[in-house]
Structure formats: structure tokens, C-alpha cells
Amino acid sequence: MSDIEHIGFIGIGNMGTPMAGHLARAGYDVTAYDLTPDRARRFADAHSARTTESLAELGRNADLVITMLPSGREVRHALLEAQDGALAANLRPGSFVIDMSSADPVGTRKLGEELAPRRIALVDAPVSGGVVRAKDASLAIMIGGDVAAVAAVKPVLARMGGKLFEVGSLGCGHAMKALNNFLAGTSFAAASEAVRVGRQFGLDPAVMIDVINVSTGRSFASDVVMKQHVLSGTFATGFALGLLAKDVRIAADLANQVGADAPIGALVSDLIAGARDAIGGDVDHSRAAEYWNGKG
Ligand code: NAD
């Protein structure tokens, strides 16, 4: 274990709950905070951890704050705006913040610049692997940030992930994650479309997915999302449609920001945003296939 002992964990949702649980079990002194205090309390009861509704208290007691929130907007709010900016104001110089949410990389760089004068080091470390791999601590973690800060927080990240990648300076983790989810969203939309066309020709969707999963069209979307969640009708990946729409939008915006030609990103972002607007952002993202396919 490094010098970090006291961790404030903000965002006790689908992912944050198992991730913070690994840290508590590893012996870190974890204080949980969530906008829905019941979630933090349930977590604290289950793990003999602490909870607080005061961001000032969370900041005062933490060597490190981890955020696992819907987007960069909530991360910024929790650090600089909520409770009159109490969190950043109470973190001591030399402390660390790791944003493990999937956030907009440009916003992350701006946030890092705002925290730097207080000598609070921000690291971005978004994850991939979903709730299943969050539970067994085998997440892929994409780390961006200052080399010394990354070295200091890596032992903590290693408790939550199976594969840790240092991908560059602050914001690079978030850029990497958005581009991964652009690919995941694209293959999901494409697998849904292939099944729709095949079914209308007379193919059996279940047979199609079995063929694809041992053929060159195979992807996480065909193997896990379509096979285990769409065809079975369970729709329980634990990843909300609104979050996928946000990630693909971040990737499309990133393409614009760097001036890259990226026609697929814009197209898939609009497709997924359309499904979110029609059936809601809180539903499981696998429901988008049902929505698209229902449209015939
Ligand atoms: P979630 O909605 O289950 O959890 C988010 C939690 O944050 C909730 O408990 C919510 O009450 C809390 N919250 C929201 N705003 C807050 C605020 N301002 N202050 C404090 N708490 C606040 O979401 P999740 O599925 O756990 O995802 C979290 C992040 O991880 C997202 O950025 C998502 O894109 C990313 N992610 C999710 C998955 C997945 O499979 N679910 C996989 C990889 C990455």
C-alpha cells in the first residue's frame, strides 16, 4: 500500500459500489458519498466503511478522492460547486483526485488546471468491463495524468482493475475510453441492424448471433449484449442507454475538436441519441436494439 490510507469515494452506483467495496476490503479507510445518501449508507453498512453527507468532511479526511459519476459535469460539480465548493476547499495540498467516470477529456484538462493551484493532482482513470468485471476487480483501466501522480495512485487502482494502461497526460484516459465506447456503440448498432435485416429476410436472429459469434463479425456487442441480454430478453447489462449516448457523443465531439474526419462517429452518436430520446436514458442500453428492431 502507498501513503494513501483515507479514500473518499463519490458515486456509489452500479460501478462505484463494487469498486469501492474492493478498496474497503483491501484495508483502505473508505468514506462513501452519493447524491442519494441511502446508497452510501447501504454501502457503508455492508463494508464497515464510513459515510458522510458533508463534502467538507469528506475532503478533510481524504488523502485521495475517487469520483465514479455519470459524466464530467457531475465531477466538476462535486469538486468545485456543490456545498459552495467545500470539497476542493478542504482537500489538503498534496492530495489526489482520480476521476474514474467516463468524462469529456477537454473538460478534464480544464478541471486539472483549476485544481493545480491548490496542489491537488487530478488523474483520469476511466474503466471498461462493466459491472461484471467491476465485481471481480478485473476492469481495464486507462490512466492519464502526471507521471508522479499516476505512480502514487496506481496501487489503489490495482485493487479495482486487472489491466492498467498508462495512456498519456491528463485527459488521455478519458479520450481513450470515449473512443473505445464509440467502437462498442458502433458494433452494437451494427449488430442490431444485421439482425433486423436478416430477420426480415427470414433468418432466425438466435442462429444469426450464434454464427456471428464464431465468425469474423464477432464483437462484445454480438457475444455479450446481443446474445446474453437482447435475445434472452433480460436487458440487464447494468450500463444505461444515457451513459452510452454520452460516451459516443464525447467521441464525436473529440473528432471535431481535433479536426479529424469521423463520419461514423456522428452517425452512430445520432442513432444512439435518438434511441435515448425515444425510450429514456435510464433504461439498460441493450433496450436500444429492441427499439431499433421494433421500428422494422
Ligand atoms: P450509476 O448511475 O449507476 O451511478 C452513478 C452514481 O452517482 C449514482 O449512485 C448517483 O446517485 C450518483 N450521483 C450522480 N450525480 C451525483 C453528484 N453530483 N454527486 C454525488 N453523487 C452523484 O452509473 P454507473 O453505471 O455506475 O456509471 C458511472 C460511470 O462509469 C459513468 O461515467 C459511466 O459512463 C461509467 N461506466 C459505466 C459502466 C457500466 O457498465 N455501468 C462501465 C464502464 C464505465
Side-chain angles (χ1 to χ4, degrees):
M1 203 180 279
S2 69
D3 292 344
I4 293 166
E5 287 177 35
H6 307 284
I7 299 178
F9 202 107
I10 304 182
I12 308 294
N14 287 337
M15 296 292 285
T17 302
M19 290 163 66
H22 294 305
L23 300 181
R25 273 191 298 277
Y28 290 104
D29 170 35
V30 175
T31 302
Y33 175 96
D34 196 283
L35 210 52
T36 307
D38 256 4
R39 290 189 183 165
R41 268 195 293 276
R42 271 200 306 274
F43 170 83
D45 289 347
H47 293 90
S48 312
R50 295 193 239 192
T51 182
T52 181
E53 291 182 39
S54 158
L55 288 168
E57 186 186 325
L58 187 110
R60 266 196 308 276
N61 294 336
D63 307 314
L64 161 68
V65 169
I66 296 178
T67 47
M68 193 53 174
L69 294 169
S71 75
R73 196 178 37 185
E74 289 81 9
V75 174
R76 180 179 189 79
H77 184 255
L79 277 158
L80 296 176
E81 295 160 8
Q83 301 178 15
D84 295 324
L87 180 50
N90 283 279
L91 276 170
R92 57 174 172 68
S95 57
F96 301 94
V97 174
I98 314 178
D99 181 20
M100 302 192 74
S101 328
S102 305
D104 146 46
V106 175
T108 299
R109 286 200 167 152
K110 184 162 179 291
L111 181 62
E113 282 164 16
E114 286 169 80
L115 294 174
R118 304 171 194 251
R119 293 198 42 239
I120 301 167
L122 178 64
V123 168
D124 55 322
V127 305
S128 189
V131 175
V132 171
R133 283 170 59 190
K135 284 184 177 160
D136 64 17
S138 69
L139 291 164
I141 306 186
M142 308 154 211
I143 312 167
D146 165 77
V147 173
V150 171
V153 301
K154 235 175 143 181
V156 178
L157 293 172
R159 294 290 181 170
M160 296 176 277
K163 292 196 170 73
L164 274 58
F165 297 94
E166 292 179 43
V167 293
S169 59
L170 184 65
C172 286
H174 282 152
M176 180 66 239
K177 170 65 185 174
L179 292 167
N180 175 75
N181 278 26
F182 152 63
L183 268 181
T186 300
S187 50
F188 171 49
S192 302
E193 187 169 305
V195 165
R196 177 162 71 251
V197 174
R199 198 191 53 202
Q200 289 185 208
F201 184 75
L203 285 166
D204 178 343
V207 172
M208 284 186 75
I209 289 299
D210 284 345
V211 172
I212 289 168
N213 282 337
V214 292
S215 302
T216 49
R218 180 177 174 274
S219 63
F220 180 83
S222 65
D223 200 15
V224 176
V225 184
M226 297 299 288
K227 172 91 180 163
Q228 297 176 24
H229 296 278
V230 177
L231 293 182
S232 68
T234 51
F235 301 108
T237 66
F239 184 44
L241 181 55
L243 295 178
L244 177 63
K246 167 213 50 166
D247 292 343
V248 181
R249 179 78 255 161
I250 291 172
D253 287 347
L254 189 62
N256 284 333
Q257 283 151 353
V258 300
D261 183 28
I264 300 172
L267 181 69
V268 176
S269 178
D270 286 350
L271 257 178
I272 294 175
R276 176 204 56 204
D277 293 346
I279 62 174
D282 290 337
V283 302
D284 197 84
H285 83 283
S286 54
R287 291 256 177 215
E290 190 188 39
Y291 165 70
W292 290 321
N293 290 356
K295 290 203 314 187

